[in-house]
Amino acid sequence: MEDRIICFLIDDDDDDQEIFSLALSNIDDNIHCITANDGIDALIRLNKEDAFTPNFIFLDLNMVRMNGRECLSEIRKIPRLDNIPVIIYSTSSEQRDILETKHLGAADYIVKPPSMALLEKRLEQVLRGYHT
């Protein structure tokens, strides 16, 4: 991965944000992670006129204020983000959640793995799948 990649993580858990950011930096120094604490905060930032356009959006399902499904639906209404992959990043491994979010426009689904090594491996698969 040669160019700087911006990943936007929407997750209300500070520890998950820290682990995710660390995993990305371990994969490649050119990956920059920006975080939002919930879907409402994320949408405010993404809808601003001078809003950044991330290369990837990672989205937790189980958040207060606005859950991941609602946030995903709203993200998919923003035309400039049409080609940006939204990847669900959740503790849920329920097939129903996977199918529902793919139907709503998610490009992929990552079940939060139990170790940093597994997270790095899975993130690398996803990132390389879009930047080959």
Side-chain angles (χ1 to χ4, degrees), residues 20 23-24 27 58 87-89 102 107-113 115-130:
F20 189 90
L24 287 175
I27 292 168
F58 292 88
I87 296 103
I88 303 302
Y89 178 61
K102 291 224 174 153
D108 207 337
Y109 194 105
I110 297 175
V111 177
K112 292 180 182 179
S115 74
M116 179 67 81
L118 289 172
L119 176 58
E120 289 172 14
K121 183 177 180 183
R122 185 67 177 100
L123 286 173
E124 201 162 15
Q125 288 172 342
V126 168
L127 297 173
R128 293 208 186 281
Y130 289 94

Side-chain angles (χ1 to χ4, degrees), residues 75-120:
I75 288 170
R76 286 296 164 223
K77 292 178 186 175
I78 303 171
R80 72 180 168 72
L81 300 177
D82 281 350
N83 295 321
I84 304 302
V86 179
I87 296 103
I88 303 302
Y89 178 61
S90 178
T91 55
S92 171
S93 59
E94 293 290 324
Q95 194 65 29
R96 176 184 46 103
D97 290 333
I98 296 168
L99 293 173
E100 280 180 14
T101 54
K102 291 224 174 153
H103 180 74
L104 290 171
D108 207 337
Y109 194 105
I110 297 175
V111 177
K112 292 180 182 179
S115 74
M116 179 67 81
L118 289 172
L119 176 58
E120 289 172 14

